[in-house]
Amino acid sequence: MIRHVVLFTFKPGVDWSDPRVLEAERTAARVGAEVPELREWRHGRNVSARPIACDFLVDGLLDDMEAVERYLVHPFHQDAIAQWREISDWVMVDVEQ
């Protein structure tokens, strides 16, 4: 199993009041239902005020790296990426479980 975690940090001038952010959040919420390779899907806003904290997280569980590759190119996931790319920078990790 592969745990896929992505942490998003808003670009300067972007915050939760931006309609693009709210739309990206709604899209992220639906990824788990739209991409069949995902066994689990979590997402959420950061609640910490620490300066090193990121703004948003997505966390998925997939069978293997082949499933990760299919997830990455899935059209719905690609739409989500395009939305988040406009408003944020991110880091990610894929780890075996």
Side-chain angles (χ1 to χ4, degrees):
M1 301 296 276
I2 303 294
R3 175 70 60 190
H4 174 75
V5 178
V6 184
L7 301 172
F8 299 88
T9 302
F10 295 144
K11 291 182 178 181
V14 176
D15 62 30
W16 286 107
S17 67
D18 188 319
R20 299 172 301 166
V21 172
L22 301 177
E23 182 60 26
E25 180 182 33
R26 283 190 291 273
T27 299
R30 293 182 42 220
V31 169
E34 298 289 337
V35 181
E37 285 77 15
L38 288 161
R39 291 182 164 268
E40 294 177 4
W41 184 250
R42 297 184 305 169
H43 55 88
R45 293 180 182 194
N46 171 54
V47 296
S48 172
R50 296 176 61 195
I52 63 168
C54 296
D55 296 298
F56 191 74
L57 162 137
V58 296
D59 175 5
L61 185 65
L62 301 103
D63 287 335
D64 50 32
M65 286 306 294
E66 289 80 16
V68 171
E69 293 303 320
R70 291 190 303 275
Y71 154 79
L72 292 174
V73 299
H74 189 281
F76 195 87
H77 179 251
Q78 287 293 308
D79 182 47
I81 288 172
Q83 290 178 36
W84 283 100
R85 185 176 291 126
E86 183 179 335
I87 59 173
S88 69
D89 296 310
W90 64 81
V91 295
M92 57 75 53
V93 63
D94 291 325
V95 296
E96 291 185 339
Q97 294 215 282

